[in-house]
Amino acid sequence: MAQTSALLKALKKELKANGLTYGDVAKHLDLAQASIKRLFSEENISLARLDQICQMMNLEISDLVKTMSERQGHLQQLSVEQEQEITKDINLLLITICVLNKWTMSEIMDHYQMLETECIQKLALLDKLKIIDLLPGNRIKLLVDSNFGWRENGPIQRFFQQTIGNEYFNSQFEHNDEILLVLNGMLSNQSNGEFQRKIKRLAREFELLNQEDTNLNLKDRHGVTAVLAIRGWRYGLFEHLRSQEK
């Protein structure tokens, strides 16, 4: 029964990560939304229905079981205090990003000018923050979930917005490994919500690809940052031309 609960908990997290609701599941299974809520609350979902729900997210049941196993006992998000601690020290932030991408200590030392004693000190602090286990031989065991992410509008996200945004967009986006699309339109609230769900699904695909590629050699992986966003925004450039609204 405990395994069933853990599996359904993983399923609910996958639905949320893909921007799907009980209403979407009900529509897909041709059932009432109340029936879906009852199936989840009673933890009474057949394998056939579980398979149907997984198909909505292009997942196999085996993928869900793997995700459940990876998540058990792992952090999905840092606390505000943990993120604040990391943003105070740029070297600690660098090492945190490296270990989240499954770099070894030797790989960090090979790529960045950092004394071994300092690197060990930062890793020990991450161990203290319960982000990693620092094992004998300075081996690193991650304690975060495969679905790990920074807190929305948290210290890390704000740090990047305030300090790296201009540098990020200072590019012509003309190389093969980069692209910039700027879209303008007028959407209803319903369409806006649907587009946000699609963005969340795309983010999940990025996370899955990132996890798959951690098995490759470091020389075959390249650091990338994807920014996915949508907002209601009136360009200040045109504001002086706007009629007074009633």
Side-chain angles (χ1 to χ4, degrees):
M1 191 67 178
Q3 286 291 81
T4 300
S5 298
L7 187 62
L8 291 181
K9 185 177 180 180
L11 178 61
K12 286 189 282 189
K13 290 184 180 297
E14 287 296 324
L15 288 169
K16 184 177 180 180
N18 282 273
L20 297 171
T21 65
Y22 283 158
D24 297 316
V25 176
K27 185 176 180 181
H28 185 73
L29 298 184
D30 195 24
L31 293 172
Q33 185 170 332
S35 298
I36 297 300
K37 289 181 178 180
R38 185 169 61 253
L39 290 176
F40 274 91
S41 64
E42 296 177 355
E43 299 183 347
N44 185 26
I45 298 179
S46 67
L47 281 176
R49 281 180 172 158
L50 181 61
D51 186 48
Q52 285 180 292
I53 297 172
C54 286
Q55 287 176 17
M56 295 177 65
M57 301 172 285
N58 295 317
L59 289 175
E60 300 289 340
I61 293 179
S62 57
D63 296 326
L64 189 64
V65 173
K66 181 181 178 181
T67 299
M68 176 194 72
S69 300
E70 290 175 345
R71 285 180 175 172
Q72 288 179 335
H74 286 186
L75 286 172
Q76 290 187 333
Q77 201 170 61
L78 303 182
S79 68
V80 172
E81 292 74 21
Q82 285 174 312
E83 288 198 359
Q84 286 175 335
E85 186 72 24
I86 292 170
T87 56
K88 291 177 183 177
D89 184 336
I90 191 66
N91 286 355
L92 179 60
L93 176 60
L94 169 64
I95 290 179
T96 302
I97 293 172
C98 288
V99 299
L100 288 175
N101 283 287
K102 298 190 177 180
W103 287 35
T104 65
M105 178 175 158
S106 62
E107 288 171 336
I108 296 172
M109 298 291 297
D110 287 342
H111 281 76
Y112 297 103
Q113 295 181 357
M114 191 176 300
L115 295 175
E116 181 178 359
T117 52
E118 183 184 13
C119 190
I120 294 174
Q121 181 186 33
K122 304 304 181 189
L123 291 173
L125 182 51
L126 292 181
D127 181 282
K128 183 179 179 181
L129 292 172
K130 305 301 182 184
I131 296 170
I132 67 169
D133 265 341
L134 187 55
L135 304 175
N138 294 320
R139 291 179 294 112
I140 301 167
K141 178 183 177 182
L142 269 179
L143 298 180
V144 300
D145 191 284
S146 61
N147 198 34
F148 172 84
W150 303 119
R151 300 183 70 87
E152 290 187 13
N153 200 33
I156 297 286
Q157 191 178 92
R158 291 197 300 270
F159 174 84
F160 278 98
Q161 288 174 335
Q162 293 165 4
T163 61
I164 299 177
N166 289 337
E167 180 183 341
Y168 181 87
F169 288 104
N170 186 24
S171 170
Q172 297 299 315
F173 291 89
E174 58 188 10
H175 297 113
N176 292 333
D177 63 348
E178 57 185 7
I179 185 174
L180 174 66
L181 300 174
V182 179
L183 309 175
N184 301 106
M186 301 183 72
L187 300 178
S188 66
N189 289 338
Q190 181 179 354
S191 295
N192 186 302
E194 176 61 24
F195 189 74
Q196 289 191 40
R197 286 191 288 273
K198 291 180 183 295
I199 287 177
K200 291 178 180 178
R201 292 173 197 168
L202 185 60
R204 179 55 177 157
E205 288 183 26
F206 180 93
E207 292 169 1
L208 292 173
L209 290 171
N210 185 48
Q211 285 298 316
E212 290 176 7
D213 286 356
T214 56
N215 297 318
L216 300 175
N217 290 326
L218 186 59
K219 65 180 179 64
D220 296 320
R221 296 188 286 146
H222 312 283
V224 298
T225 297
V227 178
L228 307 173
I230 181 175
R231 62 172 293 200
W233 188 21
R234 294 177 175 178
Y235 293 108
L237 177 66
F238 307 130
E239 194 61 33
H240 68 287
L241 299 175
R242 187 175 302 282
S243 298
Q244 292 293 324
E245 294 179 318
K246 296 182 180 179

